[in-house]
Amino acid sequence: EVQLVESGGGLVQSGGSLRLSCAASGFAFSWYGMSWVRQAPGRGLEWVSSISSGAGTIDYADSVKGRATISRDNAKNTLYLQLNNLRTEDTAMYYCAKAGDRAEALWTQTVRGQGTQVTVSS
């Protein structure tokens, strides 16, 4: 069974940083592209970033480009998202997804974790 467990969220002031983690199990993590998506209160799912299996291809949404860094440790089956210079509009539940690109990350059938809450105060 595929399991994705996110952690690292929290309450941070505007301009602060957080590092989110996603521990994966139940599948060959190193074979798959992975993504981060988020959902703010009252809004739909928003793609944040994707990384290929070997980390050779990385993409970011314009909303986080220059402030976010996605990475992975295939030896530890773990996906990361470093968020810097956080803004109040980054407040959302962040989910990791077993998905190699934006379209797959937003597909309703894609496996995602339970999420970790990021709240940015002004």
Side-chain angles (χ1 to χ4, degrees):
E1 178 189 2
V2 174
Q3 284 197 322
L4 301 169
V5 180
E6 300 92 337
S7 61
L11 174 63
V12 62
Q13 287 190 325
S14 180
S17 298
L18 283 173
R19 189 193 196 201
L20 309 183
S21 299
C22 171
S25 62
F27 66 104
F29 179 77
S30 63
W31 292 6
Y32 290 89
M34 296 292 294
S35 298
W36 287 96
V37 296
R38 67 186 182 184
Q39 188 164 24
R43 304 191 67 175
L45 207 58
E46 178 189 12
W47 171 75
V48 175
S49 181
S50 294
I51 185 169
S52 61
S53 58
T57 300
I58 290 174
D59 292 301
Y60 297 101
D62 287 344
S63 58
V64 301
K65 197 171 292 183
R67 302 186 297 118
T69 303
I70 190 172
S71 62
R72 64 190 298 160
D73 186 336
N74 286 342
K76 295 182 178 179
N77 288 354
T78 303
L79 177 72
Y80 302 100
L81 183 68
Q82 176 72 40
L83 296 168
N84 299 322
N85 192 19
L86 281 159
R87 306 167 180 168
T88 55
E89 54 264 40
D90 293 317
T91 294
M93 186 72 79
Y94 284 72
Y95 303 90
C96 68
K98 182 176 173 285
D101 57 35
R102 178 183 181 277
E104 188 177 9
L106 297 178
W107 187 46
T108 55
Q109 302 299 314
T110 291
V111 175
R112 303 184 190 93
Q114 85 292 345
T116 186
Q117 177 68 40
V118 171
T119 303
V120 184
S121 63
S122 58

